[in-house]
Amino acid sequence: MRALVIGASGGIGSAIFNQLEREGWDVTGLSRSIDGFDMGNAASIERGMERLTGTFDLIFVAVGILAPLWGAPEKNLTAIKPDDMTRVFAVNTIGPALILRHAARLLPKDGRGVVAILSARVGSIGDNQIGGWYSYRASKAALNQIVRGAAIELGRSHKQSICVSLHPGTVATPFTANYAGRHKTVAPDEAANNLIKVITGLTPQQTGGFYDYAGQEIVW
């Protein structure tokens, strides 16, 4: 079994990479720190994806930002900054969309193939009860729509393909360190185990869905 993990040097991505290797997968990793694979740069994504050959039984995208390095998630509308919002959408939404452009070539056409992209429960419009975090919420809601559309398109040519958004829970990584608050956190290894179990149990009938770390569907 072959897997591609994008964001393989991050907290969740590295845990997914390591767990898959322990389970005997042949794993290829891409990341900005090791390979110069920049999710906010279209040319970088294209170069990295074009170098890949063969097919993968799993493509896992574990890259995202809450805000640019120089900013923070917005608490109110007056905090919205166009440049910051553009950067968040570039990494969280446009980057995964550009990866999905290559999915048809990289997934097995006559067998089960999964594309799993990390989203977030706060990207759910129906679940939003407190507002705020406008760029991050909107970028993940837009990502979910792209995943849904990609699942429909892939399903026409790859009948056993599965393309989903996954919510990992609040994982104890530098990504969440300043924002976890009172939320219960889980270690990256535990999050990886949970997500791999969900991926293993998915069927083609569930393609295009949005699921949490326990396999429960999340409202759009």
Side-chain angles (χ1 to χ4, degrees), residues 43-217:
S44 174
I45 293 172
E46 194 65 19
R47 285 194 302 270
M49 298 303 290
E50 284 183 344
R51 286 197 296 265
L52 299 171
T53 59
T55 59
F56 296 89
D57 303 286
L58 170 63
I59 299 171
F60 191 97
V61 182
V63 181
I65 58 172
L66 289 168
L69 291 175
W70 55 87
E74 309 95 341
K75 293 182 179 180
N76 50 57
L77 289 166
T78 60
I80 292 174
K81 298 177 181 178
D83 289 345
D84 288 5
M85 180 174 275
T86 298
R87 176 62 180 170
V88 172
F89 267 81
V91 175
N92 292 352
T93 311
I94 299 171
L98 295 178
I99 288 168
L100 283 166
R101 290 175 59 185
H102 296 264
R105 174 177 68 86
L106 295 174
L107 290 175
K109 192 158 188 179
D110 299 318
R112 185 180 189 271
V114 180
V115 181
I117 300 181
L118 285 191
S119 186
R121 190 180 296 273
V122 297
S124 165
I125 296 172
D127 192 59
N128 184 359
Q129 303 297 321
I130 61 174
W133 287 35
Y134 289 96
S135 297
Y136 186 67
R137 285 184 185 275
S139 71
K140 292 298 187 177
L143 169 65
N144 291 343
Q145 182 70 281
I146 289 168
V147 168
R148 179 77 170 189
I152 293 169
E153 183 173 338
L154 284 168
R156 296 183 183 126
S157 56
H158 296 63
K159 302 300 183 184
Q160 298 183 58
S161 65
I162 302 166
C163 184
V164 293
S165 296
L166 295 180
H167 167 60
T170 304
V171 184
T173 67
F175 181 85
T176 62
N178 295 327
Y179 303 101
R182 293 171 298 192
H183 293 284
K184 178 184 176 182
T185 61
V186 298
D189 286 348
E190 182 179 349
N193 284 330
N194 291 338
L195 293 171
I196 290 171
K197 286 179 182 177
V198 172
I199 290 167
T200 301
L202 290 171
T203 68
Q205 289 70 38
Q206 292 175 282
T207 192
F210 182 18
Y211 304 97
D212 71 9
Y213 53 88
Q216 298 299 308
E217 194 163 9

Side-chain angles (χ1 to χ4, degrees), residues 3-10 12-14 16-17 20 27-32 35 37-39 45 48-49 52 58-64 95-96 98-100 102 106 115-118:
L4 170 65
V5 178
I6 296 174
S9 65
I12 299 176
S14 62
I16 290 285
F17 185 101
L20 289 172
V27 189
T28 298
L30 289 173
S31 68
R32 185 174 62 177
D35 309 287
F37 189 89
D38 184 356
M39 285 288 283
I45 293 172
M49 298 303 290
L52 299 171
L58 170 63
I59 299 171
F60 191 97
V61 182
V63 181
L98 295 178
I99 288 168
L100 283 166
H102 296 264
L106 295 174
V115 181
I117 300 181
L118 285 191

